[in-house]
Amino acid sequence: MAKIIAGVGSSHVPAIGAALDNGKTEEPYWKRVFSGFEKSKQWMANTKPDVAIVVYNDHASAFSVEMIPTFALGCAAEFPPADEGWGPRPVPVLKGHPALAAHIAQSVILDEFDLTVVNKMEVDHGLTVPMNLLFGTPKEWPCPVIPLAVNVVMYPPPTGHRCYMLGKAIRKAVESYPEDLKVVIFGTGGLSHQISGPRAGLINSKWDKSFLDNLTKDPKKLTRIPHLDYMREAGAEGIEMVMWLIMRGALDDKVDEVYRFYTVPASNTAVGHIILENRRKAASKGKRAPAAKSRQAATRKAAHRIASKGQR
Ligand SMILES: [Fe+2]
C-alpha cells in the first residue's frame, strides 16, 4: 500500500530560482535563505520518497487567463520546465508517475472532487523552486513528481476548507494504491506577500508565524479563514497559503513538526518552510520513540537558531 509519510510546506519565491540559476547562493542576502534549507535537504535525502506530490500554483505559464482550472492534476509521464520569460529554468525535466496520478484522479473525482486531468503540462517556478530547496540541484530529480496546480491567481480561488478536504481525499486515494510507495506531499506558495498596488512589499510575520503554529497544531482553525482575511493580513498573493492546507489535510490530525524555518525578506516575500511527519504506529499511542524525540528536539533547536538569525 502506498502511504503519505510527511508533508513539506515551502515558499516558492521566483527570485530564489533566479539566485540559484545565476550562482548567487553564496551572497550574504541569499545565503541567509538557502542556509535555512540545508537540514531540509538532509531530511529529504534520508527520507528518500518514492514519489512527491507537489501542490503549487501556475503563474500564467501553463494556463493563460483564457482557461484556469481550479485544481489540475498532472498525469503525464514528464513535465518540462516552463519558459517564464527568460527561457526555461536550467533544471531537469520532471518525471511523472502516470499510474499513481491516474489512480488519484479516479479516486478523488469519484469522491466528488472534480479535478481537471492534465496530460501535457509545463511547470514553472511554483513547482521547480521548492524542488530545488528540498532536493538541491541534481542532474536528475531523485523521484517522480505528481504536480497538482491550484488556481490562486484569479478570483475565486478555492476555500481553505475545500483544500483541506481535498488533501484528505488525496490521502485516501494514495492509501488505496496497491504498490508500496513512500509519498511526500508538498504545499507551496506564500507566505505573506503582495507584489503590486499600494501595499506592494507587505509582509506580516506575526500572521505567518501564527499560520505555521496552527498548521501543526490546529489546522481546522485555518480552514475557517475567509479569503478576505488572507488578502487583508497576508497581502493579495498571501492567498497562496491555502495550498498548504491540501498538504496538511493529507496528513494525520496529529503530526510531529520536525523542522521550521522563517526569514524575511526574499525578494519582497516572507519565506516560510515547515516539515511535518505523520507519527509512526508506536508514536500514535502516545509514546514517541526516544530516537525520534531527540531528533526532533535537535532539529527544532537548529531551526530556531537559524530562524532567529534570519528574522528581523
Ligand atoms: Fe506563487
Side-chain angles (χ1 to χ4, degrees):
M1 183 184 91
K3 192 162 176 45
I4 294 178
I5 57 165
V8 173
S10 172
S11 299
H12 61 216
V13 186
I16 293 177
L20 268 168
D21 301 344
N22 295 301
K24 294 183 176 176
T25 55
E26 289 302 311
E27 292 181 4
Y29 182 92
W30 288 111
K31 197 164 181 160
R32 170 178 53 86
V33 175
F34 289 106
S35 65
F37 289 84
E38 285 306 315
K39 285 191 180 296
S40 318
K41 282 193 283 187
Q42 195 53 54
W43 176 87
M44 191 59 93
N46 294 339
T47 301
K48 292 188 178 58
D50 297 307
V51 185
I53 298 171
V54 182
V55 181
Y56 76 110
N57 69 287
D58 178 73
H59 303 75
S61 304
F63 307 113
S64 73
V65 289
E66 291 174 359
M67 183 178 59
I68 306 180
T70 299
F71 298 114
L73 189 72
C75 296
E78 60 177 40
F79 305 94
D83 183 347
E84 299 181 60
W86 299 270
R89 288 196 60 219
V91 296
V93 169
L94 294 110
K95 302 293 179 198
H97 196 304
L100 178 57
H103 176 83
I104 292 173
Q106 172 178 286
S107 174
V108 167
I109 290 170
L110 295 182
D111 247 348
E112 303 182 346
F113 285 88
D114 307 320
L115 302 188
T116 299
V117 171
V118 186
N119 291 319
K120 186 177 180 190
M121 182 165 72
E122 294 180 347
V123 290
D124 68 14
H125 70 270
L127 187 145
T128 60
V129 164
M131 287 293 290
N132 284 134
L133 290 172
L134 272 293
F135 291 101
T137 52
K139 284 207 172 91
E140 299 290 334
W141 298 114
C143 68
V145 170
I146 299 176
L148 174 61
V150 180
N151 168 38
V152 290
V153 297
M154 182 172 277
Y155 190 83
T159 63
H161 180 255
R162 184 70 170 159
C163 288
Y164 187 71
M165 296 310 290
L166 175 58
K168 289 190 176 299
I170 289 171
R171 176 189 181 141
K172 184 177 158 195
V174 168
E175 289 183 352
S176 63
Y177 190 71
E179 193 181 339
D180 281 337
L181 294 174
K182 273 196 292 184
V183 180
V184 168
I185 183 166
F186 285 56
T188 75
L191 296 178
S192 58
H193 66 300
Q194 176 148 343
I195 56 175
S196 60
R199 298 201 308 161
L202 178 145
I203 286 175
N204 186 343
S205 297
K206 196 175 163 201
W207 163 276
D208 291 337
K209 287 174 189 170
S210 166
F211 184 89
L212 292 172
D213 289 344
N214 283 321
L215 196 72
T216 303
K217 292 179 191 155
D218 191 4
K220 284 188 184 150
K221 189 171 179 183
L222 300 179
T223 67
R224 296 190 285 270
I225 299 174
H227 288 142
L228 272 178
D229 282 14
Y230 283 102
M231 302 279 285
R232 190 181 296 118
E233 299 292 336
E237 280 72 34
I239 191 65
E240 289 185 346
M241 292 156 84
V242 294
M243 294 187 289
W244 292 45
L245 293 176
I246 297 178
M247 173 272 280
R248 186 63 183 89
L251 302 179
D252 291 347
D253 289 346
K254 290 194 187 306
V255 290
D256 288 323
E257 179 179 326
V258 297
Y259 186 63
R260 184 194 294 202
F261 173 65
Y262 182 85
T263 188
V264 293
S267 183
N268 55 0
T269 306
V271 171
H273 170 44
I274 203 163
I275 299 176
L276 304 172
E277 284 183 358
N278 279 338
R279 292 178 180 174
R280 294 183 192 147
K281 286 246 162 85
S284 64
K285 288 176 186 157
K287 288 184 183 175
R288 268 185 249 168
K293 267 173 111 176
S294 62
R295 192 188 65 219
Q296 283 152 23
T299 46
R300 271 201 202 100
K301 254 188 193 170
H304 287 141
R305 260 205 313 278
I306 295 165
S308 55
K309 261 195 210 167
Q311 283 167 20
R312 18 178 255 198

